[in-house]
Amino acid sequence: MVSIAQTALNTLFWEAAVMLLVIGFVNMGGVGKNEPRDFGIVLLSGALMETIAMAFVIMEGDIFGATVAAALVLLLWMLGIGLIMGKNLMAMNHALWFTGLFFALITAELIRMGAVTLSLAIGLLPIITILLSIAHYLNMPLIGKVAGIISIIDGFAFFVLAFAGAAGMVLP
C-alpha cells in the first residue's frame, strides 16, 4: 500500500506541474485562443486526476499530504467549473484568495518540518493564487502576467519533484 500512496503523491506532483504550467502560459497570454471554457476543461481534467490520486493518499492515512492535495483539488474544481459555466467569478476570486492563505500556512509547516524542496514548490502557490485573485479583483492583467511567470517557475519546481519521485530520489 505504501508504494501506491507514494505513486499517488508523485502523480499529484506531476498534475500540479502540468496545471501550473498551463495556468502560467495562459496567464502570460499569446498562447492559443485563451478561451476561458477551454482553460476550464483543462483544469477539470486535472481536478479529476488529482481527486483520484488524492483518494490513494487518503487511503494510506497521510493526513498532511491529503490536506495539501485537497486544497489544490478544490481550487482546480472551483476554477474549472467557474470557467466553463462563466458564472460567479467572484466566488473564484475568493477561492483563490483563501486557498493562497491556506498554502501559506502549509508552507510554514513544511519549513518547520525541514522539507526544503517541497516548501519551495508549495511556497510559490500562495504568491500565485493571491496575485491571481488581486489581478481579477482589480482587473489588472499585468498582475496576472506576473502570477503567470511565477506559475511557470512553480510548474517546473513540481516537475522536478515528480521526476525525482519517479526516479526514486529523495530531495531535501
Side-chain angles (χ1 to χ4, degrees):
M1 189 64 153
V2 172
S3 65
I4 292 174
Q6 289 170 342
T7 302
L9 194 56
N10 199 50
T11 302
L12 287 167
F13 289 155
W14 172 247
E15 288 300 318
V18 171
M19 291 298 105
L20 286 164
L21 288 169
V22 168
I23 290 168
F25 283 115
V26 167
N27 277 303
M28 288 301 299
V31 178
K33 295 187 312 183
N34 201 8
E35 173 65 35
R37 286 193 174 103
D38 294 342
F39 187 34
I41 291 167
V42 170
L43 292 178
L44 279 182
S45 65
L48 180 61
M49 288 186 271
E50 291 266 357
T51 302
I52 293 167
M54 185 182 66
F56 288 106
V57 175
I58 291 169
M59 285 176 15
E60 176 59 26
D62 180 1
I63 297 168
F64 187 74
T67 304
V68 174
L72 187 59
V73 168
L74 171 67
L75 190 61
L76 290 174
W77 280 108
M78 284 281 300
L79 293 174
I81 291 170
L83 288 169
I84 288 173
M85 302 299 288
K87 304 288 183 197
N88 206 359
L89 298 180
M90 189 57 72
M92 286 175 35
N93 291 336
H94 283 75
L96 283 167
W97 179 258
F98 289 120
T99 305
L101 294 176
F102 179 75
F103 283 138
L105 294 172
I106 293 297
T107 301
E109 179 63 16
L110 287 169
I111 291 169
R112 191 188 69 72
M113 293 169 53
V116 177
T117 310
L118 187 56
S119 64
L120 170 70
I122 299 285
L124 291 175
L125 289 174
I127 298 167
I128 295 164
T129 54
I130 291 172
L131 282 177
L132 285 174
S133 68
I134 291 170
H136 295 141
Y137 281 135
L138 301 178
N139 194 22
M140 296 182 70
L142 181 60
I143 295 173
K145 287 183 186 237
V146 171
I149 291 169
I150 298 169
S151 184
I152 291 169
I153 293 166
D154 203 19
F156 283 114
F158 273 104
F159 181 76
V160 168
L161 281 167
F163 180 79
M169 297 183 294
V170 177
L171 299 175

